Amino acid sequence: MADRLLEIRISADYPNKPAVLDDCSLEIGRGEIVGLVGKSGCGKSTLSLALLGLLAWRGGQVRGSIRLNGRDLVGLSEGEMRKLRGREIALVLQSPMSALNPALKLGTQLHEAWKAHSSGSSEACNRAVGEALENVSLPQEPAFLQRYPSQISVGQAQRVLIAMAILHRPPLLIADEPTSALDIITQSEILELFSKVSRKLAMSILYISHDLLSLASISQRVAVMENGAIVECSPTMKIFRDPSHPYTRQLIRALPVIPQVFAAPAR
Amino acid sequence: MRRVLFTVLSLWLAFGSARAQSATQLRFCLRSEPKTFNPLLVEEDSSDTVRYLTGGVLVRLNRKTQKLEPGLATDWKVSRDGRTIAFTLRPGLKFSDGTSFSAADVAYTVQQMMEPSLHSPIGDTFRSGEGATESKILAADKVAISFPAPVAGLDRLFDQVAIMSASSAKKEMAVLGPYYVSENHAGSYLMLERNPNYWRQDAAGRPLPYIDSIRLDIQQNRDLELLRLERGEIDLVNSIDPEYYEKLVKEKPALAHDAGPSLDSEHMWFNQVPTAAISDYKKAWFQSANFRRAVSEAINRQDLARIAFRGHARPAVGIVSPANQFWFNDKLRPHPFDQKSALQRLQKDGFRLHDGVLRDVNGHVVEFSIITNAGNRYRERMATMIQQDLAGVGMKVNVVTLDFPSLIERITRTFTYEACLLGLVNTDLDPASVMNVWLSSAENHQWSPGEKKPATAWEAEIDRLMRAQASTLDDHRRKQYFDRVQEIAWEQEPFIYLVTKNALSAISTSLSNAQPVVLRPQVFWNVDELKLAPEVAATR
Amino acid sequence: MQRLLRHAALILVTVLLGGLLGATLVRFSPAFGVDEAELDPRRSSASIESIRRAKGEERNIPAFYLHYLGRMAKGNLGTSRTLNRPVLELVVTRLPETVKSVILGLLVGWGAGLLLAIPIAMFRSWALDIAASTLAAILLCVPTAVFALLFVVLRTPGRLVIALIVFPKVFRYARNLLVKSALLPHVLTARAKGLGNLRVFARHILPNVAPQLSSLAGVSVSLAFTAAIPVEVLCDLPGIGQLAWKAALGRDLYLLVNLTMIITLITLMANCAADLARPQGARA
Amino acid sequence: MRRARQLATVFLLLVALASAAAGFLAPSGYAHQFRDTPDASPSRQHWLGTDDLGRDRFARLLYGTRVSLCLAPAAALLSSLLAALIGGVAGFCGGRLEQLVLAGTDLFLSLPWLFLLITIRALLPLNLPPVTSVVITFMLLGCLGWAVAARVICSDAHLLRNCDFILLARASGLGGWRLLVRHLLPNLMPIVYAQFWLSIPIFILTEANLGILGLGVSEPLPSWGTLLRDLESCSSMSHLWQFAPLLLLIAAVSCFHLLVVDREFPA
């Protein structure tokens, strides 16, 4: 892959605990959707926080290098990192209801996300927000923006989060188990949305999940993580047809239905 | 504009400092709010201070010489039967509010004082028998007061009677003393201003008092009081504790004054009330003079004075402090510390000491409790030391500290106590003031209050002697009677006198003419002659 | 509105009951109606007898209390026996002193607590966290009365003792609360959006912890008033704490009943205000 | 944290051991007055000097520790049991009873307890040995200290009442007393236990406050409160050894705080 957006090679740990990420390396190309799979507690969320430089808030420490467009993020100051968040790398979290501030209106939160990186007029802001809402198929009328997170459905909330994440059209979006809290229909809608957004905005997505099936349906490549290290990273098709690592094989064997995936691993 | 402002400011400052220079202010602290300004109802220390500073009295006891001096009366005479006193008043005097003073005011004050429903404590000291008190106004400046029965030391008692105005609209706030109360900020401070109508002048004819005003801050905490003295915020502390005295001697020795033994003593006594709810065998111990004398001899008074009071006290002799120059019986000496003699006395009553435990004739272990008031560090210390001393003769003592009302209830109402340690504050030199302690029928006869008839022969004898001295006019005859009372009390020890405290005080160096004495008010008894050094006055 | 009324009614009933119980307690305590004046050796037997009779009033507690409530409705709170002045006057002159101490103590305590807790939560400064937490832990271990004694010895204003009592509680609570809130998903989202520290704190942390902090405010007010009694007694501040102590020692019925009611009222109002500040149903 | 907790336990054990061996470590006893050397500085004979009556400060400290360390837990036990009973039943039954109990605790907390303590002390028989009177004082504190803990326990019991496993137990026909004993009580134990540990330092501090106000243990028996009262007389900072009781108090109480499970939220 010549056109690499992101190259990671990091270790991370919390004080007085064994390393959570142990020399974990991963590459993501431009416009590519990479799935990251692994059982809970293996370090997936730590990786996503490390990418955003937010691990320090949890008391963690990162060593190694994170190259985004050839620029190393590990040594950056908090101020510089802050400018990257939301504009270069965006994040969508697992449970949309708690990821939105219950005390603020949706509109406020969206506008706030816009203003964090743009000093344009309120008109430009409204336009950008409208566009983002349109991209995630949410109503654009002001009444919707006047609502509080508790007044919308979970699916809508997740869409709002995605809208917020793509507001500045960042080259990289990290989705940390974005569908695990949703019912099955909403889940597929959101998955659909992710691949649509990726195509439309030429956005790379690091899609983290423990659910291999949903992940397989949108990602071009799948990385398998075990005990803080990437043990295998291959195109989706290969993972299913010819898994090389024993852990990957174990994962595949645990799936209830494989045949369909064999037939059409990606659309 | 600015220049004008500056000029105004400097003028104002100059005027202000000029005023400050001319006005002198004495400052000291009261330990609590005065409960009353009515001089006839004064009970506690703070009200007493205010009365002393503001009240005009017919005769004044000189606190230093302990002799009577003329006050509002230039001359007075007690009749031969001791029932009547006639005063000749200073002419042309005025109260602080301008009302003029005459014999009618004296008559009014006496009539108020003797009013039974008022329950004036001073009035009680005059009440020697049944019947009405009569005041006869002989002239504008002559008045004679007759009591139903002879009153011992009649003239001296008038030192406590501040004369009130019969006609002033300000009632008790119109005064004849050196100062009057100008402001009362309840709970925080009192302001006293110089009484422009005060009668006294100094030898050079200058009107007294010298100091223009007095500020009395209400300050309970003695630590803070001393701190303020050291900072120069107040000018005197009337009576300080031995510990603070020691501290002052180390830090600023020029301020510390020890006037020697005071009139106040600390004593303990055993409950001898026949109806008290304590075991009969214990009552038998307490009623035995041998037992009381033994306890007294087993207590190391020297140690009490040296340790509990840091040496600023001395072993007490008896009822009267050596500071009371006239009435003290100088033949008596403090009971010595002698545990052997104490055990011998106990053996006379059949007590036996075995293995460090004292038992009485019937084999009861000797154990009793001493109550004292919580929060008085000196009494708690003394009680704890007595506990160890008495363990030396095999007695087991429990020390119980009670809050004051509970203590009073036990010693005056329920009599549910065995021994009590308290102090007696003496304000008066004359034995007449302790009649209610020594008469067996009195309520303040604390070891056995309100006896219908004297329980013992020696109590009967004390009754007889006390009555005899009260109805005698010749002071030397009275002293003979009272000396005998002191001897009996020394012999029988219904009160076991422990120590006599020294009168300790602290006075700022800027205050001149101060001559601390042992009689209350120790430091400012000559308040009208006190002077403040000019440099101090200038900074105020 | 109805909630407010119900709260008010409950407070009123509790305060009145508190007063009645306080009165009963005083009335049946030992040494009720005893006067120091009885020990005055100048007093004659007749005069002591009359003092006792005068003090013997208020024997019947329900009758006393009803009578008292009737007079209170007319604005007459009775007269203090120990200080010989109307209770209303005493309270009016003493209350400002205590309120001053309490407000100063709360301001300083809360100020210091929040000033330390906020940076710890926002900047994750380990050194500051350890230093401040240790300080708070030590302050929490010192009895109020020791503070008061030490302040007298060190010649420091006694009012600040209340701040030292309030500070560790506020600090520990606020620190834990803020650190926990700073890790919540929505705060993470806000940070991931690229918002600055100040904005994250002001918009995403503070509004969410405000109800809990306000309930702590209620608790801290009653804490400060409780601390005021030993502080005022030992540091000699003429406030209602000192007055309450004197009233207790002097078995001053009217004074103690009124002070009990005032202190109960303040405590309940503070708690109630905190209660109302919390969203409905949030109360566990 | 774990290390700190271990250290705290060791320290408390050492202090307890030292106070238990007081008779051996300080043979002079707490009451004996060395009248020739009152207010002495530390020496080989008197490690912490002597107090104003010449009593050995070190011995008094050890014996005082014995009093405070034995009796504060006893009072704590009493108050937590009372609190568990009152709070548990109220929270479990809920409704009117709960409201009544909560209002009752409010009322209880607002009464002038200082006054009650003064008067009860005045009512005790005079010839009680000091040990008995201090036991009574602590038990009284224990009886008065239940209100705050009861509120906490009540709210926990209230939460438990609505838990699924209680619902299940009810569904399987359990009721009343059995439900209380089998299901509620075991689940309330941790909070009662926490309240117990939490209230030990509170009782130690309360006793100290009472001691300083002169309502503590009667002479000659020492306790931390009466020892702290001596601070009143040292009006300078020159005699630093006089602060030993205060330091020990702070150390011991912080150790107790360390042992308590963190439960900082006000009831």
Side-chain angles (χ1 to χ4, degrees):
Chain A
M1 267 183 282
D3 198 13
R4 272 179 210 149
L5 174 69
L6 181 73
E7 284 172 273
I8 320 170
R9 190 179 188 88
I10 55 168
S11 301
D13 53 22
Y14 296 100
N16 305 325
K17 278 179 193 155
V20 184
L21 294 181
D22 188 7
D23 199 18
C24 167
S25 58
L26 185 69
E27 290 163 0
I28 299 176
R30 285 191 200 284
E32 188 187 22
I33 301 184
V34 176
L36 181 65
V37 71
K39 58 180 173 189
S40 41
C42 73
K44 297 184 309 262
S45 298
T46 306
L47 180 66
S48 71
L49 290 182
L51 288 178
L52 281 154
L54 286 173
L55 204 58
W57 298 104
R58 292 261 157 106
Q61 231 181 352
V62 182
R63 275 165 287 112
S65 71
I66 301 171
R67 295 192 161 274
L68 183 73
N69 281 327
R71 185 182 180 202
D72 194 351
L73 305 186
V74 171
L76 290 187
S77 72
E78 168 65 20
E80 288 167 315
M81 204 58 220
R82 189 181 73 73
K83 286 188 194 133
L84 288 180
R85 290 181 206 132
R87 202 167 61 183
E88 304 278 325
I89 314 178
L91 176 72
V92 174
L93 280 174
Q94 178 175 13
S95 102
M97 278 314 183
S98 59
L100 285 172
N101 187 342
L104 296 182
K105 289 173 187 162
L106 298 176
T108 318
Q109 302 194 41
L110 281 162
H111 288 148
E112 183 183 62
W114 171 256
K115 281 177 194 148
H117 297 293
S118 307
S119 51
S121 63
S122 64
E123 204 177 303
C125 172
N126 284 337
R127 199 165 347 108
V129 169
E131 219 168 284
L133 288 177
E134 191 189 349
N135 278 333
V136 297
S137 326
L138 279 176
Q140 292 164 52
E141 70 256 30
F144 181 73
L145 292 177
Q146 287 300 311
R147 292 193 189 167
Y148 284 96
S150 58
Q151 294 167 322
I152 58 174
S153 74
V154 187
Q156 279 177 318
Q158 192 61 290
R159 280 167 200 271
V160 171
L161 274 180
I162 297 172
M164 213 185 290
I166 63 173
L167 205 54
H168 293 282
R169 310 196 165 204
L172 177 64
L173 177 78
I174 299 168
D176 190 355
E177 310 219 11
T179 57
S180 56
L182 307 177
D183 64 88
I184 199 140
I185 297 178
T186 324
Q187 208 172 10
S188 70
E189 281 171 11
I190 295 289
L191 280 171
E192 186 68 30
L193 181 62
F194 270 115
S195 57
K196 185 185 121 194
V197 163
S198 168
R199 260 179 280 125
K200 190 171 174 190
L201 306 177
M203 189 189 283
S204 306
I205 297 179
L206 176 62
Y207 189 95
I208 302 174
S209 175
H210 58 261
D211 177 8
L212 191 55
L213 273 183
S214 65
L215 196 148
S217 66
I218 61 162
S219 50
Q220 283 115 38
R221 281 194 304 139
V222 172
V224 180
M225 192 175 214
E226 192 194 12
N227 291 335
I230 306 289
V231 292
E232 185 170 358
C233 182
S234 336
T236 314
M237 200 80 88
K238 182 167 180 290
I239 287 280
F240 282 92
R241 292 198 179 143
D242 182 20
S244 64
H245 196 268
Y247 179 66
T248 319
R249 268 179 245 142
Q250 205 185 338
L251 272 178
I252 306 254
R253 238 178 289 130
L255 289 179
V257 275
I258 307 168
Q260 282 173 328
V261 183
F262 274 112
R267 258 189 286 174
Chain B
M1 184 60 206
R2 182 169 293 176
R3 176 159 299 182
V4 172
L5 201 70
F6 181 76
T7 322
V8 168
L9 203 69
S10 56
L11 270 176
W12 180 73
L13 276 176
F15 177 68
S17 59
R19 242 179 52 159
Q21 229 158 30
S22 65
T24 50
Q25 188 181 63
L26 178 73
R27 286 180 162 204
F28 60 97
C29 296
L30 295 178
R31 299 250 159 89
S32 63
E33 281 179 58
K35 266 168 122 176
T36 176
F37 289 123
N38 185 337
L40 299 177
L41 292 179
V42 165
E43 263 167 354
E44 25 57 82
D45 230 22
S46 303
S47 311
D48 198 26
T49 299
V50 175
R51 182 184 65 180
Y52 192 88
L53 294 172
T54 60
V57 291
L58 295 167
V59 290
R60 181 54 95 195
L61 180 77
N62 183 314
R63 297 316 201 243
K64 191 171 177 152
T65 60
Q66 303 191 357
K67 299 265 161 35
L68 281 182
E69 287 174 356
L72 300 173
T74 48
D75 189 39
W76 63 95
K77 198 164 170 11
V78 180
S79 70
R80 207 173 271 183
D81 60 358
R83 288 177 47 212
T84 307
I85 184 164
F87 292 102
T88 310
L89 306 179
R90 226 171 265 279
L93 296 190
K94 279 182 179 156
F95 281 90
S96 57
D97 67 336
T99 323
S100 55
F101 165 68
S102 73
D105 298 313
V106 177
Y108 168 76
T109 306
V110 171
Q111 178 242 318
Q112 282 288 307
M113 177 172 81
M114 300 314 288
E115 168 68 42
S117 64
L118 193 69
H119 300 299
S120 159
I122 309 150
D124 275 0
T125 59
F126 287 92
R127 240 176 283 270
S128 52
E130 297 291 320
T133 306
E134 281 166 32
S135 308
K136 255 194 223 131
I137 301 173
L138 307 169
D141 61 348
K142 280 204 166 44
V143 62
I145 302 156
S146 308
F147 294 91
V151 180
L154 182 56
D155 44 0
R156 281 170 179 250
L157 289 177
F158 277 93
D159 174 65
Q160 306 277 322
V161 185
I163 302 301
M164 303 198 296
S165 167
S167 52
S168 168
K170 293 180 119 179
K171 296 203 169 143
E172 72 248 26
M173 303 312 278
V175 291
L176 290 162
Y179 295 91
Y180 68 94
V181 178
S182 61
E183 289 168 54
N184 176 14
H185 297 262
S188 84
Y189 71 95
L190 274 179
M191 284 297 294
L192 269 52
E193 289 292 333
R194 186 172 183 281
N195 176 4
N197 301 330
Y198 186 53
W199 58 272
R200 261 190 89 184
Q201 294 176 338
D202 65 5
R206 267 180 66 190
L208 291 174
Y210 295 122
I211 297 172
D212 296 304
S213 64
I214 302 180
R215 184 186 157 108
L216 299 170
D217 286 318
I218 290 151
Q219 176 91 62
Q220 207 174 7
N221 191 313
R222 304 186 172 201
D223 229 336
L224 293 175
E225 190 180 10
L226 197 65
L227 169 73
R228 296 182 64 187
L229 178 84
E230 287 183 271
R231 278 197 196 141
E233 287 171 15
I234 56 172
D235 302 305
L236 61 94
V237 181
N238 209 21
S239 85
I240 63 176
D241 288 346
E243 240 131 33
Y244 297 117
Y245 182 83
E246 289 287 284
K247 190 164 168 273
L248 202 60
V249 165
K250 267 186 222 134
E251 290 168 7
K252 293 195 171 166
L255 273 57
H257 294 267
D258 184 345
S262 68
L263 293 181
D264 302 346
S265 60
E266 301 284 321
H267 61 262
M268 66 176 272
W269 72 89
F270 288 103
N271 179 359
Q272 297 188 42
V273 178
T275 55
I278 49 177
S279 330
D280 286 338
Y281 64 87
K282 284 194 178 177
K283 268 183 221 164
W285 306 340
F286 301 156
Q287 284 166 5
S288 151
N290 278 330
F291 181 84
R292 296 193 299 266
R293 283 290 293 274
V295 167
S296 172
E297 283 177 347
I299 294 173
N300 190 338
R301 290 178 171 77
Q302 289 287 356
D303 274 3
L304 295 186
R306 181 171 58 86
I307 295 174
F309 291 90
R310 307 287 158 116
H312 298 289
R314 59 176 61 181
V317 183
I319 312 171
V320 181
S321 156
N324 192 343
Q325 293 153 8
F326 181 75
W327 294 101
F328 176 63
N329 180 344
D330 51 14
K331 285 193 215 94
L332 298 176
R333 295 282 171 273
H335 290 276
F337 172 59
D338 186 349
Q339 297 203 324
K340 263 204 196 108
S341 151
L343 280 172
Q344 279 165 7
R345 282 182 197 279
L346 287 168
Q347 273 163 8
K348 275 189 214 159
D349 272 13
F351 289 92
R352 290 287 172 270
L353 181 66
H354 189 68
D355 280 345
V357 177
L358 188 72
R359 287 171 192 277
D360 72 0
V361 174
N362 301 318
H364 297 293
V365 175
V366 178
E367 175 181 2
F368 60 86
S369 57
I370 299 181
I371 59 174
T372 188
N373 59 320
N376 185 317
R377 194 202 303 261
Y378 300 95
R379 289 189 192 138
E380 283 172 29
R381 276 188 197 154
M382 281 196 292
T384 315
M385 292 181 75
I386 290 171
Q387 193 176 34
Q388 179 165 321
D389 283 342
L390 294 185
V393 292
M395 296 185 188
K396 188 169 183 299
V397 174
N398 298 306
V399 175
V400 180
T401 54
L402 295 170
D403 65 298
F404 217 2
S406 306
L407 180 105
I408 297 174
E409 185 183 45
R410 279 179 189 268
I411 64 175
T412 60
R413 314 263 170 103
T414 60
F415 308 118
T416 45
Y417 71 102
E418 289 161 351
C420 177
L421 197 163
L422 266 187
L424 201 63
V425 171
N426 279 313
T427 45
D428 201 345
L429 297 170
D430 197 283
S433 66
V434 290
M435 279 298 268
N436 286 321
V437 176
W438 292 98
L439 282 186
S440 63
S441 60
E443 284 299 319
N444 267 314
H445 184 253
Q446 269 150 357
W447 66 89
S448 174
E451 290 177 358
K452 295 270 179 303
K453 63 179 209 293
T456 55
W458 55 268
E459 280 173 272
E461 177 68 4
I462 290 182
D463 282 1
R464 188 186 68 76
L465 290 164
M466 285 306 281
R467 292 218 171 84
Q469 68 81 22
S471 53
T472 311
L473 292 178
D474 175 22
D475 274 352
H476 290 277
R477 289 262 315 278
R478 287 183 67 202
K479 177 154 166 42
Q480 280 170 8
Y481 292 128
F482 197 54
D483 276 355
R484 183 67 197 129
V485 173
Q486 293 179 54
E487 281 159 24
I488 296 173
W490 189 90
E491 199 73 31
Q492 296 291 336
E493 299 213 85
F495 284 151
I496 298 174
Y497 287 90
L498 300 169
V499 295
T500 304
K501 298 188 283 183
N502 284 12
L504 306 175
S505 53
I507 304 166
S508 151
T509 44
S510 61
L511 196 66
S512 52
N513 270 357
Q515 306 168 28
V517 294
V518 298
L519 285 185
R520 263 154 237 271
Q522 297 91 330
V523 178
F524 57 88
W525 63 274
N526 55 347
V527 64
D528 38 11
E529 291 165 355
L530 292 180
K531 272 182 185 163
L532 273 171
E535 72 271 24
V536 178
T539 57
R540 293 251 171 85
Chain C
M1 189 61 209
Q2 206 187 351
R3 196 160 151 237
L4 202 70
L5 278 178
R6 225 183 53 208
H7 269 284
L10 205 64
I11 287 179
L12 189 70
V13 170
T14 317
V15 166
L16 290 182
L17 269 178
L20 177 63
L21 282 177
T24 319
L25 209 62
V26 181
R27 173 58 200 87
F28 292 104
S29 68
F32 174 75
V34 167
D35 193 331
E36 253 176 71
E38 291 176 33
L39 286 188
D40 192 334
R42 292 174 299 181
R43 291 275 185 195
S44 67
S45 302
S47 155
I48 289 179
E49 203 42 53
S50 73
I51 295 177
R52 290 187 188 175
R53 246 182 286 118
K55 286 256 170 174
E57 288 169 20
E58 300 129 9
R59 290 285 172 203
N60 182 349
I61 270 296
F64 156 75
Y65 200 58
L66 281 178
H67 181 65
Y68 164 76
L69 285 182
R71 283 209 296 184
M72 191 172 73
K74 286 181 218 142
N76 179 355
L77 297 184
T79 309
S80 155
R81 280 209 181 285
T82 46
L83 292 169
N84 219 358
R85 285 203 286 142
V87 172
L88 188 65
E89 185 191 318
L90 281 171
V91 170
V92 166
T93 52
R94 300 291 194 114
L95 198 59
E97 181 72 20
T98 304
V99 169
K100 220 176 2 177
S101 308
V102 165
I103 288 181
L104 184 78
L106 284 175
L107 281 182
V108 175
W110 271 85
L114 290 182
L115 269 182
L116 286 173
I118 292 172
I120 286 170
M122 297 314 294
F123 302 111
R124 311 256 60 198
S125 151
W126 295 104
L128 184 65
D129 193 1
I130 289 173
S133 298
T134 315
L135 178 70
I138 290 177
L139 291 182
L140 215 51
C141 297
V142 182
T144 318
V146 170
F147 275 135
L149 282 186
L150 288 180
F151 271 48
V152 170
V153 172
L154 295 174
R155 286 93 162 96
T156 327
R159 291 178 208 287
L160 289 178
V161 173
I162 295 176
L164 285 186
I165 302 301
V166 172
F167 160 72
K169 303 244 178 200
V170 170
F171 168 75
R172 281 169 70 124
Y173 184 75
R175 180 205 164 271
N176 289 356
L177 189 65
L178 290 176
V179 165
K180 262 181 207 153
S181 316
L183 297 176
L184 288 178
H186 76 259
V187 178
L188 211 59
T189 314
R191 284 193 194 286
K193 285 194 284 197
L195 297 184
N197 252 329
L198 198 67
R199 197 170 173 87
V200 168
F201 179 73
R203 295 302 294 268
H204 294 273
I205 297 182
L206 200 58
N208 292 283
V209 297
Q212 275 146 300
L213 283 184
S214 73
S215 83
L216 178 67
V219 174
S220 65
V221 169
S222 49
L223 191 75
F225 268 95
T226 321
I229 295 184
V231 170
E232 286 181 359
V233 170
L234 293 167
C235 296
D236 211 6
L237 298 169
I240 56 167
Q242 195 191 44
L243 204 59
W245 178 252
K246 279 186 186 161
L249 288 181
R251 311 290 190 273
D252 199 326
L253 186 57
Y254 279 102
L255 195 51
L256 209 63
V257 169
N258 282 303
L259 291 177
T260 306
M261 287 167 72
I262 289 171
I263 292 172
T264 315
L265 187 68
I266 290 171
T267 315
L268 290 178
M269 294 236 289
N271 285 341
C272 169
D275 244 19
L276 289 172
R278 270 186 282 188
Q280 220 161 0
R283 193 163 178 242
Chain D
M1 203 59 205
R2 207 189 159 83
R3 183 67 53 80
R5 224 167 259 178
Q6 281 167 352
L7 275 177
T9 318
V10 170
F11 179 78
L12 283 178
L13 281 178
L14 275 179
V15 171
L17 217 67
S19 70
F24 177 72
L25 288 173
S28 55
Y30 61 84
H32 188 265
Q33 299 158 6
F34 295 91
R35 293 204 179 156
D36 296 331
T37 51
D39 270 328
S41 307
S43 61
R44 188 174 298 175
Q45 206 192 349
H46 307 292
W47 292 358
L48 287 174
T50 56
D51 71 358
D52 46 14
L53 292 181
R55 296 178 294 194
D56 186 59
R57 279 183 196 274
F58 182 64
R60 289 182 70 72
L61 186 58
L62 288 185
Y63 282 99
T65 307
R66 199 187 268 185
V67 168
S68 296
L69 274 193
C70 287
L71 291 176
L77 186 68
L78 184 66
S79 84
S80 351
L81 287 181
L82 272 176
L85 192 71
I86 297 171
V89 169
F92 186 67
C93 297
R96 284 281 147 102
L97 184 67
E98 188 183 352
Q99 285 206 326
L100 204 69
V101 169
L102 285 180
T105 51
D106 269 345
L107 193 63
F108 194 84
L109 284 173
S110 64
L111 287 180
W113 292 118
L114 211 54
F115 180 72
L116 190 76
L117 280 169
I118 296 175
T119 56
I120 291 203
R121 273 180 58 85
L123 279 176
L124 292 180
L126 296 178
N127 270 319
L128 276 184
V131 178
T132 320
S133 80
V134 65
V135 168
I136 292 177
T137 310
F138 268 100
M139 291 306 111
L140 201 67
L141 289 181
C143 290
L144 301 182
W146 59 270
V148 178
R151 289 188 78 103
V152 180
I153 292 174
C154 177
S155 78
D156 265 48
H158 189 95
L159 287 181
L160 273 178
R161 195 166 75 107
N162 301 330
C163 265
D164 286 350
F165 71 91
I166 296 279
L167 195 72
L168 205 68
R170 277 191 206 281
S172 54
L174 280 182
W177 192 239
R178 227 179 140 71
L179 200 63
L180 197 77
V181 174
R182 291 290 289 278
H183 289 273
L184 199 72
L185 217 56
N187 283 295
L188 275 183
M189 271 334 273
I191 171 85
V192 175
Y193 187 69
Q195 284 299 320
F196 167 71
W197 281 102
L198 209 63
S199 49
I200 292 177
I202 293 177
F203 283 114
I204 294 180
L205 293 181
T206 312
E207 191 276 331
N209 274 328
L210 287 180
I212 291 168
L213 288 172
L215 299 172
V217 180
S218 54
E219 292 279 8
L221 193 70
S223 75
W224 282 347
T226 46
L227 292 175
L228 287 174
R229 205 175 164 206
D230 289 348
L231 287 180
E232 206 177 3
S233 61
C234 83
S235 32
S236 68
M237 284 290 154
S238 57
H239 302 333
L240 281 180
W241 62 88
Q242 297 193 352
F243 288 87
L246 182 60
L247 290 184
L248 186 64
L249 174 87
I250 292 177
V253 176
S254 4
C255 285
F256 275 115
H257 278 313
L258 276 177
L259 293 180
V260 177
V261 192
D262 239 358
R263 212 193 132 92
E264 277 291 301
F265 291 75

